[in-house]
Amino acid sequence: MGVTARSSRPSRRSLLGGAAAGIFTLGFHIPLPAPADAATLGAAPVAPEVNAWVVVRPDETVVIRIARSEMGQGTLTGLAQLVAEELGCDWARVTTEYPTPGQNLARKRVWGDYSTGGSRGIRESNEYVRKGGAAARMMLVAAAAKGWGVPAEACRAEKGVITHAASGRSTTYGAVAGAAAKMEPPKDVVLKDPKDWTIAGQPLKRLDTLAKLDGSQVYGLDIQLPNLLNAAIRDCPVVGGTVKSFDAKAVAGMPGVRRVLQVGDSAVAVVADTFWRAKTALDALPITWDEGPNAAVSSQTIAATLREGLDAEQAFIGNKAGDVAGALKGAAKVVEAVYGVPFQNHATLEPMNATALWTPERCEVWTPTQNGEAALAATAEAAGLPATQCDVYKIHLGGGFGRRGATHDWVHQVVLIAKEMPGTPIKLIWTREEDMTHGRYHPVTQCRLRAALDEKGALTGLHMRISGQSILAAIAPQRMVDGRDPVTFQGLNPGGPEAAIGYTIPNLLVDHAMRNPHIIPGFWRGVNLNPNAIYLECFMDELAHAAGQDPLDFRLKLMGNHPKHRAVLEAVAERIGWRTAPPAGVFRGLCQTMGFGSYVAGAAEVSVSDAGDLTIHRIVAATDPGHAVNPQQIDAQVAGSFVYGLSAALYGECTVKDGRIEQTNFDTYPVMRLDAMPAVEAILMPSGGFWGGVGEPTIAVAAPAVLNAVFAATGKRVRQLPLRNTDLRRA
Amino acid sequence: MARLTVNGVVREVDAEPDTPLLWVIREQIGLTGTKYGCGIAQCGACTVHVDGAAVRACSLPLSAIEPGQKIVTIEGLAPGADHPVQRAWAQLDVPQCGFCQPGMIMASAALLAQTPNPSEQQIRAEITNICRCGTYNRVLAGIKLAAEGGRPGRG
């Protein structure tokens, strides 16, 4: 066998370009099994922590602990900026590490929530991480002052150096870190005014870039442990089905194969020395499924169920004002349209994977996860051990987008396999095909919109009936409110700091007829804000045309009470040149919404050829996230959001036949590539006073901006996505 | 036993002849910078150079490699990761999650080796790797920057 079982700890990342001292050290190491104790976080030399968030090593390296997961969105760098800002350290000496979920459990959740979804990483933890940095600074200063016998108030700290001006003495954080660790944590911590920030708020380079350029960044897929074996798995293609039988003997003699085993009720795995041999044997393994009660479901049967919901009497109310029925009855003109979106797969480029090592006393898992604590809970449950005897090592994610947060089905699987082979680390990798067909899909919904216009073309009433799937009902029923799924109404709420509608419509009803097909939904980057923005913002465009008004003017009349929504919309309108004629053959569309605590708007310039081919020339996007922690990373999130949002809007569709998802890889689930990528101009307009997310909200404006421009170009309303199913040739 | 020259080192590998080069590189040789993303040559995360040309290693069986062919992976692209593409990527902070970037960098380096000053249209046509985070515009800018930054050697 040619397998190389590496027995050493993966080496620390080499620095690029012969970098001199003072450049970042990229501090993530991959823990080997059974670390000795919770105090030895991080690599040698071991230094005592000042507090849970900050360790200063004798060489002045500042280790900042990060609880949330880095999956490309830049939260690692942003959170470190916030801590470093208050700590007053030298940014060039900052490195980071993840405390494990097990350590968080043992220390009474000192690092708080690990969940990294809903664009919450920074906005929900900014206050306590900044306080952690500030408290550490106060303890370091107090330790120095105590050593000098002077009052702490007479000392100041900057870039990791503490000075007592009166006596001309100075010392460093590294020199007093040990003493600081013994100081009483301060009770009152005052945070800086964001206008005084010098590290936070700056467009700093990411801390994790260099390792991503030379192949040294370790992803879950790359974990190597002594004596590790690899597993490939096949779950029943129909959700709800089970394994009837499989013929292990047929593949037992194939190269490298060590075990063939059933995993839970519904899956079969092959364990081999290499993944390729495991997969090859699994492909050859005869498996018979009992496909269960869902084997006859198709996209057509699901669509029919949703259509029925459009007229159903029972529906959960998300937003209600005035009397919509009366407004529709008294309308000069009623406009009606039905829209719909299909299932979408997250399609993280790194497929689901995890490595587990189980013994009767302890279970450890190495995995890319958006929620280490949830991964730990899944580990403990599958391991049959208390969580205190388990731990999870979070590995950088090759994309998350919501797939790796709320459910940890792949962790459950790998632990069940490892449990059958005590003492042997097992790495489970899903093939792309397994990943495509066993997702936690963007939920399928339809929406019928009915609007009342008066004689002057003013919008007097709107009924939005959403029919379709609830994410919470399937995967987080404990978060339902009296049977209602509040997430369904993202961006359509009457008010509040999270996702409020940006229009005042005198008679309004937004309601949801819940229809739950068996395909399991999940939080897919942007979540319900995506379809809701498509429904409302494309329909607003329809109404403007029905009223004979400019789409921007039509909206602005309804936005008098929504200044922040209005400000981002006006910003994109101005930048794209809405009031001036576009270049010949180019057409424009715009839209706005609010979600994940931020206000966003988008505008697009497109052209459509005689052959019906769409070109997106230019995108303008505006974001008001309240406070902006790293502008260049926000810029990256905004541009990336158009790729994610437009991939779905233009191409993406997971269809169901015989109870199973039909698309198996990127050949049948196309996504945007560089050839179709438009120029994106991001306008960042943080108005202060609140903390909004940036990883998701912009996705929601990608599709409606382009779809409205497509209408302007072709006169065709694309109401059922993806767009590629519509012939855009002019009739 | 097959004999491969990877990053200038001759390696003996014991794998079935139909094993894709990707998995030989990752599992037999232990270089994990080259990624698995799709297995059907769609995404390009597995891009390596064979005699200077970008190939998708997930769909190239070990048996297709001829003796003496030079295979270069992301780990061996340039000493100290000092290739113009890597330098440009660092300057522009191109990666987000980074999983596609080894393949993206290898594809870009091969493009520049063939076409030192590609037009934007050529870049868009030639770089077909998938990035789900959506780094494309920085990739585009990075290739242009690398092209300006000097003529890269073949990897």
Side-chain angles (χ1 to χ4, degrees), chain A residues 4 6 16-17 205-206 209 212-213 219 221-222 275-277 346-347 432 632 637 640 665 672-674 677-678, chain B residues 16 20 26-28 30 32 35-38 42 80-81 86 91 93 96-98 124 128 132-133 136-138:
Chain A
T4 318
R6 284 193 177 173
L16 280 178
K205 292 268 181 71
R206 296 173 63 114
T209 291
K212 292 175 176 175
L213 305 183
Y219 297 86
L221 203 71
D222 309 327
F275 172 73
W276 182 254
R277 285 168 174 154
H346 296 81
R432 174 58 57 192
Q632 73 103 350
Q637 287 303 297
N665 209 318
M672 181 178 269
R673 301 178 196 240
L674 185 51
M677 180 70 194
Chain B
E16 288 69 60
R26 288 182 57 85
E27 301 198 292
Q28 266 84 11
T32 57
K35 303 304 184 196
Y36 165 70
C38 72
Q42 276 282 324
Q86 289 166 310
Q91 191 174 329
D93 239 1
Q96 290 190 30
C97 90
R124 287 180 180 273
T128 58
R132 291 290 286 149
C133 298
Y136 296 125
N137 284 343
R138 291 197 190 193

Short mmCIF file of all heavy atoms in Angstrom, two decimals, chain A residues 4 6 16-17 205-206 209 212-213 219 221-222 275-277 346-347 432 632 637 640 665 672-674 677-678, chain B residues 16 20 26-28 30 32 35-38 42 80-81 86 91 93 96-98 124 128 132-133 136-138:
data_model
loop_
_atom_site.label_atom_id
_atom_site.label_comp_id
_atom_site.label_asym_id
_atom_site.label_seq_id
_atom_site.Cartn_x
_atom_site.Cartn_y
_atom_site.Cartn_z
N THR A 4 0.63 7.11 2.80
CA THR A 4 1.56 7.77 3.71
C THR A 4 0.78 8.25 4.92
O THR A 4 -0.04 9.15 4.80
CB THR A 4 2.21 8.98 3.03
OG1 THR A 4 2.54 8.60 1.70
CG2 THR A 4 3.44 9.43 3.75
N ARG A 6 0.97 10.29 7.86
CA ARG A 6 1.87 11.26 8.50
C ARG A 6 1.69 11.20 9.99
O ARG A 6 0.59 11.29 10.49
CB ARG A 6 1.55 12.66 8.03
CG ARG A 6 2.02 12.97 6.64
CD ARG A 6 1.92 14.46 6.47
NE ARG A 6 2.42 14.85 5.17
CZ ARG A 6 2.31 16.09 4.75
NH1 ARG A 6 1.74 17.01 5.51
NH2 ARG A 6 2.78 16.42 3.58
N LEU A 16 5.26 33.65 3.56
CA LEU A 16 5.52 33.88 2.15
C LEU A 16 6.64 34.87 1.95
O LEU A 16 6.87 35.76 2.74
CB LEU A 16 4.26 34.45 1.50
CG LEU A 16 3.19 33.44 1.16
CD1 LEU A 16 2.00 34.15 0.57
CD2 LEU A 16 3.73 32.42 0.19
N GLY A 17 7.32 34.69 0.86
CA GLY A 17 8.23 35.70 0.36
C GLY A 17 9.38 36.04 1.29
O GLY A 17 9.85 37.16 1.32
N LYS A 205 -5.74 44.20 5.53
CA LYS A 205 -5.63 42.90 4.86
C LYS A 205 -6.12 41.82 5.82
O LYS A 205 -5.99 41.92 7.03
CB LYS A 205 -4.17 42.62 4.51
CG LYS A 205 -3.61 43.52 3.43
CD LYS A 205 -3.78 42.88 2.06
CE LYS A 205 -3.21 43.74 0.95
NZ LYS A 205 -1.75 43.77 0.96
N ARG A 206 -6.62 40.75 5.22
CA ARG A 206 -7.05 39.61 6.02
C ARG A 206 -5.85 38.94 6.70
O ARG A 206 -4.74 38.95 6.17
CB ARG A 206 -7.73 38.57 5.13
CG ARG A 206 -8.99 39.03 4.47
CD ARG A 206 -9.46 37.98 3.49
NE ARG A 206 -9.79 36.75 4.19
CZ ARG A 206 -11.02 36.24 4.26
NH1 ARG A 206 -12.03 36.82 3.65
NH2 ARG A 206 -11.24 35.14 4.93
N THR A 209 -4.80 35.27 4.58
CA THR A 209 -4.61 35.19 3.12
C THR A 209 -3.40 34.33 2.72
O THR A 209 -3.51 33.49 1.83
CB THR A 209 -4.46 36.61 2.53
OG1 THR A 209 -5.73 37.26 2.63
CG2 THR A 209 -4.05 36.57 1.07
N LYS A 212 -3.52 30.72 2.18
CA LYS A 212 -4.44 30.32 1.12
C LYS A 212 -3.82 30.46 -0.26
O LYS A 212 -4.48 30.25 -1.26
CB LYS A 212 -5.74 31.13 1.22
CG LYS A 212 -6.54 30.78 2.48
CD LYS A 212 -7.77 31.65 2.67
CE LYS A 212 -8.55 31.16 3.91
NZ LYS A 212 -9.68 32.05 4.21
N LEU A 213 -2.56 30.84 -0.31
CA LEU A 213 -1.91 31.05 -1.60
C LEU A 213 -0.90 29.96 -1.95
O LEU A 213 -0.45 29.88 -3.10
CB LEU A 213 -1.17 32.40 -1.60
CG LEU A 213 -2.02 33.62 -1.25
CD1 LEU A 213 -1.19 34.89 -1.35
CD2 LEU A 213 -3.25 33.70 -2.13
N TYR A 219 -7.82 22.53 5.33
CA TYR A 219 -9.29 22.43 5.38
C TYR A 219 -9.64 21.07 5.97
O TYR A 219 -8.78 20.20 6.12
CB TYR A 219 -9.88 22.60 3.98
CG TYR A 219 -9.60 23.96 3.39
CD1 TYR A 219 -8.41 24.20 2.69
CD2 TYR A 219 -10.48 25.02 3.56
CE1 TYR A 219 -8.13 25.45 2.17
CE2 TYR A 219 -10.20 26.28 3.04
CZ TYR A 219 -9.02 26.49 2.36
OH TYR A 219 -8.74 27.73 1.85
N LEU A 221 -11.01 18.68 4.64
CA LEU A 221 -10.66 17.66 3.65
C LEU A 221 -9.22 17.20 3.78
O LEU A 221 -8.87 16.12 3.33
CB LEU A 221 -10.87 18.28 2.26
CG LEU A 221 -11.10 17.38 1.07
CD1 LEU A 221 -12.47 16.75 1.16
CD2 LEU A 221 -10.99 18.18 -0.23
N ASP A 222 -8.37 18.05 4.36
CA ASP A 222 -6.93 17.81 4.35
C ASP A 222 -6.38 17.23 5.65
O ASP A 222 -5.16 17.05 5.77
CB ASP A 222 -6.19 19.15 4.08
CG ASP A 222 -6.72 19.87 2.86
OD1 ASP A 222 -7.13 19.18 1.91
OD2 ASP A 222 -6.74 21.12 2.87
N PHE A 275 -9.29 7.46 0.34
CA PHE A 275 -10.65 7.83 -0.03
C PHE A 275 -10.99 7.29 -1.41
O PHE A 275 -12.09 6.81 -1.65
CB PHE A 275 -10.83 9.35 -0.02
CG PHE A 275 -12.16 9.78 -0.59
CD1 PHE A 275 -13.32 9.57 0.13
CD2 PHE A 275 -12.25 10.29 -1.88
CE1 PHE A 275 -14.56 9.91 -0.42
CE2 PHE A 275 -13.48 10.63 -2.42
CZ PHE A 275 -14.63 10.43 -1.70
N TRP A 276 -10.04 7.39 -2.33
CA TRP A 276 -10.36 6.96 -3.69
C TRP A 276 -10.74 5.47 -3.72
O TRP A 276 -11.66 5.06 -4.42
CB TRP A 276 -9.19 7.23 -4.64
CG TRP A 276 -9.57 6.83 -6.02
CD1 TRP A 276 -9.13 5.74 -6.71
CD2 TRP A 276 -10.53 7.48 -6.86
NE1 TRP A 276 -9.76 5.67 -7.92
CE2 TRP A 276 -10.63 6.72 -8.04
CE3 TRP A 276 -11.33 8.61 -6.72
CZ2 TRP A 276 -11.49 7.07 -9.08
CZ3 TRP A 276 -12.19 8.96 -7.75
CH2 TRP A 276 -12.26 8.20 -8.92
N ARG A 277 -10.05 4.67 -2.93
CA ARG A 277 -10.37 3.24 -2.90
C ARG A 277 -11.72 3.02 -2.20
O ARG A 277 -12.49 2.13 -2.59
CB ARG A 277 -9.25 2.46 -2.22
CG ARG A 277 -8.04 2.32 -3.12
CD ARG A 277 -6.82 1.80 -2.38
NE ARG A 277 -5.72 1.55 -3.33
CZ ARG A 277 -4.44 1.56 -3.01
NH1 ARG A 277 -4.07 1.82 -1.75
NH2 ARG A 277 -3.52 1.33 -3.91
N HIS A 346 -26.44 24.56 -1.47
CA HIS A 346 -25.39 25.49 -1.07
C HIS A 346 -24.15 25.35 -1.96
O HIS A 346 -23.49 26.34 -2.27
CB HIS A 346 -24.96 25.23 0.37
CG HIS A 346 -26.02 25.46 1.38
ND1 HIS A 346 -27.01 24.55 1.67
CD2 HIS A 346 -26.26 26.51 2.20
CE1 HIS A 346 -27.80 25.04 2.61
NE2 HIS A 346 -27.36 26.22 2.96
N ALA A 347 -23.86 24.11 -2.31
CA ALA A 347 -22.71 23.81 -3.18
C ALA A 347 -21.44 24.50 -2.72
O ALA A 347 -20.74 25.16 -3.50
CB ALA A 347 -23.03 24.17 -4.64
N ARG A 432 -19.03 14.94 -4.48
CA ARG A 432 -19.88 16.05 -4.91
C ARG A 432 -21.31 15.54 -5.14
O ARG A 432 -22.28 16.24 -4.82
CB ARG A 432 -19.32 16.68 -6.19
CG ARG A 432 -20.20 17.75 -6.83
CD ARG A 432 -20.48 18.92 -5.89
NE ARG A 432 -19.27 19.53 -5.42
CZ ARG A 432 -19.21 20.41 -4.41
NH1 ARG A 432 -20.30 20.80 -3.78
NH2 ARG A 432 -18.05 20.90 -4.02
N GLN A 632 -12.74 46.89 3.18
CA GLN A 632 -12.34 46.12 1.99
C GLN A 632 -12.93 44.71 2.04
O GLN A 632 -13.17 44.10 0.99
CB GLN A 632 -10.81 46.12 1.79
CG GLN A 632 -10.02 45.27 2.75
CD GLN A 632 -9.56 43.95 2.12
OE1 GLN A 632 -9.99 43.60 1.04
NE2 GLN A 632 -8.71 43.22 2.82
N GLN A 637 -17.45 40.99 0.27
CA GLN A 637 -18.72 40.31 0.55
C GLN A 637 -19.81 40.77 -0.41
O GLN A 637 -20.64 39.98 -0.85
CB GLN A 637 -19.15 40.55 1.99
CG GLN A 637 -18.34 39.78 3.00
CD GLN A 637 -18.38 38.29 2.74
OE1 GLN A 637 -19.44 37.67 2.81
NE2 GLN A 637 -17.25 37.72 2.40
N GLY A 640 -19.06 39.26 -3.84
CA GLY A 640 -19.33 37.83 -3.78
C GLY A 640 -20.81 37.53 -3.68
O GLY A 640 -21.29 36.51 -4.18
N ASN A 665 -24.12 17.37 -9.91
CA ASN A 665 -22.79 17.98 -9.95
C ASN A 665 -22.90 19.32 -10.67
O ASN A 665 -24.00 19.73 -11.06
CB ASN A 665 -21.79 17.04 -10.65
CG ASN A 665 -20.36 17.21 -10.15
OD1 ASN A 665 -19.89 18.34 -9.94
ND2 ASN A 665 -19.66 16.11 -9.95
N MET A 672 -22.29 30.62 -11.53
CA MET A 672 -21.62 31.70 -12.25
C MET A 672 -20.11 31.48 -12.26
O MET A 672 -19.53 31.06 -11.26
CB MET A 672 -21.94 33.04 -11.60
CG MET A 672 -21.29 34.21 -12.31
SD MET A 672 -21.73 35.80 -11.58
CE MET A 672 -23.17 36.20 -12.54
N ARG A 673 -19.51 31.79 -13.41
CA ARG A 673 -18.05 31.76 -13.53
C ARG A 673 -17.56 33.13 -13.98
O ARG A 673 -18.38 34.03 -14.21
CB ARG A 673 -17.62 30.67 -14.52
CG ARG A 673 -18.10 29.28 -14.10
CD ARG A 673 -17.71 28.22 -15.12
NE ARG A 673 -18.47 26.99 -14.91
CZ ARG A 673 -17.92 25.80 -14.64
NH1 ARG A 673 -16.62 25.68 -14.55
NH2 ARG A 673 -18.68 24.74 -14.46
N LEU A 674 -16.27 33.23 -14.13
CA LEU A 674 -15.68 34.54 -14.43
C LEU A 674 -16.23 35.15 -15.73
O LEU A 674 -16.38 36.37 -15.83
CB LEU A 674 -14.15 34.39 -14.50
CG LEU A 674 -13.32 35.65 -14.70
CD1 LEU A 674 -13.66 36.74 -13.71
CD2 LEU A 674 -11.84 35.31 -14.61
N MET A 677 -19.23 37.28 -14.97
CA MET A 677 -19.16 38.15 -13.80
C MET A 677 -19.18 39.62 -14.18
O MET A 677 -18.31 40.09 -14.92
CB MET A 677 -17.88 37.84 -13.01
CG MET A 677 -17.70 38.68 -11.76
SD MET A 677 -18.90 38.21 -10.49
CE MET A 677 -18.76 39.58 -9.35
N PRO A 678 -20.16 40.36 -13.69
CA PRO A 678 -20.18 41.80 -14.00
C PRO A 678 -19.23 42.58 -13.10
O PRO A 678 -18.81 42.10 -12.04
CB PRO A 678 -21.63 42.19 -13.67
CG PRO A 678 -22.05 41.22 -12.61
CD PRO A 678 -21.30 39.93 -12.88
N GLU B 16 -3.74 2.10 -8.09
CA GLU B 16 -4.31 1.49 -9.27
C GLU B 16 -4.16 2.47 -10.44
O GLU B 16 -4.28 3.69 -10.25
CB GLU B 16 -5.79 1.16 -9.05
CG GLU B 16 -6.02 -0.02 -8.10
CD GLU B 16 -5.66 0.31 -6.65
OE1 GLU B 16 -6.27 1.23 -6.09
OE2 GLU B 16 -4.76 -0.35 -6.11
N PRO B 20 -7.32 8.69 -10.21
CA PRO B 20 -7.07 10.04 -10.73
C PRO B 20 -5.81 10.65 -10.11
O PRO B 20 -5.53 10.45 -8.93
CB PRO B 20 -8.31 10.82 -10.31
CG PRO B 20 -9.37 9.79 -10.12
CD PRO B 20 -8.65 8.57 -9.60
N ARG B 26 -2.90 13.78 -3.52
CA ARG B 26 -3.38 14.04 -2.15
C ARG B 26 -3.08 12.89 -1.20
O ARG B 26 -2.66 13.11 -0.05
CB ARG B 26 -4.89 14.30 -2.16
CG ARG B 26 -5.30 15.64 -2.76
CD ARG B 26 -6.81 15.83 -2.67
NE ARG B 26 -7.29 15.73 -1.30
CZ ARG B 26 -7.29 16.74 -0.42
NH1 ARG B 26 -6.86 17.93 -0.77
NH2 ARG B 26 -7.75 16.54 0.82
N GLU B 27 -3.32 11.66 -1.65
CA GLU B 27 -3.31 10.54 -0.72
C GLU B 27 -2.03 9.73 -0.74
O GLU B 27 -1.60 9.24 0.31
CB GLU B 27 -4.51 9.62 -1.01
CG GLU B 27 -5.83 10.37 -0.88
CD GLU B 27 -7.03 9.45 -0.73
OE1 GLU B 27 -7.34 8.76 -1.71
OE2 GLU B 27 -7.64 9.42 0.36
N GLN B 28 -1.45 9.54 -1.91
CA GLN B 28 -0.20 8.76 -1.94
C GLN B 28 0.99 9.67 -1.66
O GLN B 28 1.91 9.28 -0.97
CB GLN B 28 -0.04 8.06 -3.29
CG GLN B 28 -0.56 6.62 -3.29
CD GLN B 28 -2.06 6.52 -3.55
OE1 GLN B 28 -2.69 7.49 -3.93
NE2 GLN B 28 -2.61 5.34 -3.34
N GLY B 30 0.69 12.93 -0.48
CA GLY B 30 0.45 13.69 0.75
C GLY B 30 0.48 15.19 0.58
O GLY B 30 0.59 15.93 1.56
N THR B 32 -1.71 18.19 0.01
CA THR B 32 -3.16 18.41 0.07
C THR B 32 -3.58 19.81 -0.39
O THR B 32 -4.75 20.16 -0.28
CB THR B 32 -3.67 18.17 1.50
OG1 THR B 32 -2.94 19.04 2.38
CG2 THR B 32 -3.49 16.72 1.92
N LYS B 35 -7.06 20.52 -4.48
CA LYS B 35 -8.34 20.21 -3.84
C LYS B 35 -9.27 19.37 -4.70
O LYS B 35 -9.25 19.45 -5.93
CB LYS B 35 -9.08 21.51 -3.49
CG LYS B 35 -8.30 22.46 -2.59
CD LYS B 35 -7.85 21.81 -1.31
CE LYS B 35 -7.15 22.81 -0.39
NZ LYS B 35 -6.40 22.14 0.67
N TYR B 36 -10.12 18.63 -4.04
CA TYR B 36 -11.23 17.93 -4.67
C TYR B 36 -12.47 18.80 -4.55
O TYR B 36 -12.84 19.21 -3.45
CB TYR B 36 -11.49 16.60 -3.97
CG TYR B 36 -12.84 15.97 -4.31
CD1 TYR B 36 -13.08 15.45 -5.58
CD2 TYR B 36 -13.86 15.89 -3.37
CE1 TYR B 36 -14.31 14.89 -5.90
CE2 TYR B 36 -15.09 15.33 -3.68
CZ TYR B 36 -15.31 14.84 -4.94
OH TYR B 36 -16.53 14.27 -5.25
N GLY B 37 -13.09 19.10 -5.70
CA GLY B 37 -14.32 19.88 -5.64
C GLY B 37 -15.48 19.23 -6.36
O GLY B 37 -16.63 19.37 -5.96
N CYS B 38 -15.21 18.51 -7.45
CA CYS B 38 -16.32 17.94 -8.23
C CYS B 38 -16.04 16.56 -8.78
O CYS B 38 -16.95 15.77 -8.97
CB CYS B 38 -16.72 18.90 -9.35
SG CYS B 38 -15.53 18.99 -10.70
N GLN B 42 -15.12 19.92 -13.72
CA GLN B 42 -15.99 21.10 -13.85
C GLN B 42 -15.44 22.31 -13.10
O GLN B 42 -15.52 23.42 -13.59
CB GLN B 42 -17.39 20.76 -13.30
CG GLN B 42 -18.29 20.07 -14.29
CD GLN B 42 -18.88 21.05 -15.29
OE1 GLN B 42 -19.19 22.16 -14.96
NE2 GLN B 42 -19.02 20.59 -16.53
N GLY B 80 9.11 29.83 -2.01
CA GLY B 80 8.64 30.91 -1.14
C GLY B 80 7.32 31.50 -1.59
O GLY B 80 6.96 32.60 -1.20
N ALA B 81 6.59 30.74 -2.41
CA ALA B 81 5.29 31.22 -2.92
C ALA B 81 5.42 32.61 -3.54
O ALA B 81 4.59 33.48 -3.33
CB ALA B 81 4.24 31.20 -1.81
N GLN B 86 0.89 34.68 -7.15
CA GLN B 86 0.75 34.63 -5.68
C GLN B 86 0.99 35.99 -5.05
O GLN B 86 0.29 36.39 -4.12
CB GLN B 86 1.72 33.57 -5.11
CG GLN B 86 1.28 32.15 -5.44
CD GLN B 86 2.36 31.12 -5.19
OE1 GLN B 86 3.50 31.28 -5.63
NE2 GLN B 86 2.02 30.06 -4.46
N GLN B 91 -1.38 40.85 -2.59
CA GLN B 91 -1.55 42.30 -2.62
C GLN B 91 -3.03 42.68 -2.64
O GLN B 91 -3.44 43.64 -2.00
CB GLN B 91 -0.82 42.86 -3.84
CG GLN B 91 -0.71 44.37 -3.82
CD GLN B 91 0.14 44.88 -4.98
OE1 GLN B 91 1.06 44.20 -5.44
NE2 GLN B 91 -0.18 46.06 -5.46
N ASP B 93 -5.56 40.67 -1.69
CA ASP B 93 -6.37 39.90 -0.75
C ASP B 93 -7.48 39.13 -1.50
O ASP B 93 -8.65 39.23 -1.17
CB ASP B 93 -7.03 40.83 0.28
CG ASP B 93 -6.62 40.49 1.71
OD1 ASP B 93 -5.81 39.56 1.89
OD2 ASP B 93 -7.11 41.15 2.64
N GLN B 96 -11.30 34.34 -0.44
CA GLN B 96 -12.25 34.40 0.69
C GLN B 96 -12.08 33.08 1.44
O GLN B 96 -11.15 32.97 2.23
CB GLN B 96 -13.66 34.69 0.18
CG GLN B 96 -13.76 36.13 -0.35
CD GLN B 96 -15.18 36.56 -0.65
OE1 GLN B 96 -16.15 36.13 -0.03
NE2 GLN B 96 -15.32 37.47 -1.62
N CYS B 97 -12.93 32.09 1.19
CA CYS B 97 -12.67 30.82 1.91
C CYS B 97 -11.36 30.21 1.46
O CYS B 97 -10.71 29.50 2.21
CB CYS B 97 -13.85 29.85 1.77
SG CYS B 97 -13.79 28.74 0.35
N GLY B 98 -10.99 30.44 0.21
CA GLY B 98 -9.68 30.01 -0.28
C GLY B 98 -9.62 28.62 -0.86
O GLY B 98 -8.59 28.23 -1.41
N ARG B 124 -11.32 36.05 -19.13
CA ARG B 124 -12.67 35.56 -18.84
C ARG B 124 -12.96 34.23 -19.53
O ARG B 124 -13.64 33.38 -19.00
CB ARG B 124 -13.70 36.61 -19.27
CG ARG B 124 -13.76 37.83 -18.36
CD ARG B 124 -14.80 38.83 -18.86
NE ARG B 124 -14.88 40.00 -18.02
CZ ARG B 124 -15.65 40.08 -16.92
NH1 ARG B 124 -16.41 39.07 -16.55
NH2 ARG B 124 -15.68 41.18 -16.19
N THR B 128 -11.88 29.25 -16.11
CA THR B 128 -13.24 28.71 -15.96
C THR B 128 -13.44 28.04 -14.61
O THR B 128 -14.44 27.36 -14.40
CB THR B 128 -13.53 27.71 -17.09
OG1 THR B 128 -12.55 26.66 -17.03
CG2 THR B 128 -13.47 28.39 -18.46
N ARG B 132 -17.18 29.74 -5.33
CA ARG B 132 -18.53 29.94 -4.80
C ARG B 132 -18.61 31.20 -3.93
O ARG B 132 -19.68 31.77 -3.75
CB ARG B 132 -18.99 28.71 -4.02
CG ARG B 132 -19.23 27.51 -4.91
CD ARG B 132 -20.47 27.69 -5.79
NE ARG B 132 -21.70 27.55 -5.05
CZ ARG B 132 -22.83 28.18 -5.36
NH1 ARG B 132 -22.88 29.04 -6.37
NH2 ARG B 132 -23.92 27.97 -4.65
N CYS B 133 -17.49 31.60 -3.32
CA CYS B 133 -17.51 32.84 -2.53
C CYS B 133 -17.64 34.06 -3.45
O CYS B 133 -18.09 35.11 -3.00
CB CYS B 133 -16.24 32.99 -1.71
SG CYS B 133 -15.99 31.69 -0.49
N TYR B 136 -14.30 36.45 -8.19
CA TYR B 136 -13.92 36.59 -9.61
C TYR B 136 -13.32 37.94 -9.96
O TYR B 136 -12.35 38.01 -10.73
CB TYR B 136 -15.14 36.33 -10.50
CG TYR B 136 -15.68 34.93 -10.42
CD1 TYR B 136 -17.02 34.69 -10.11
CD2 TYR B 136 -14.86 33.82 -10.66
CE1 TYR B 136 -17.52 33.40 -10.05
CE2 TYR B 136 -15.36 32.53 -10.60
CZ TYR B 136 -16.70 32.33 -10.29
OH TYR B 136 -17.20 31.05 -10.22
N ASN B 137 -13.92 39.02 -9.46
CA ASN B 137 -13.39 40.33 -9.88
C ASN B 137 -11.99 40.57 -9.34
O ASN B 137 -11.17 41.22 -9.99
CB ASN B 137 -14.34 41.45 -9.47
CG ASN B 137 -15.56 41.51 -10.39
OD1 ASN B 137 -15.54 40.94 -11.47
ND2 ASN B 137 -16.63 42.15 -9.94
N ARG B 138 -11.70 40.04 -8.16
CA ARG B 138 -10.32 40.18 -7.65
C ARG B 138 -9.38 39.23 -8.38
O ARG B 138 -8.20 39.53 -8.56
CB ARG B 138 -10.28 39.97 -6.13
CG ARG B 138 -10.96 41.11 -5.38
CD ARG B 138 -10.61 41.15 -3.91
NE ARG B 138 -11.47 42.11 -3.21
CZ ARG B 138 -11.25 42.55 -1.98
NH1 ARG B 138 -10.20 42.14 -1.29
NH2 ARG B 138 -12.08 43.41 -1.43
#
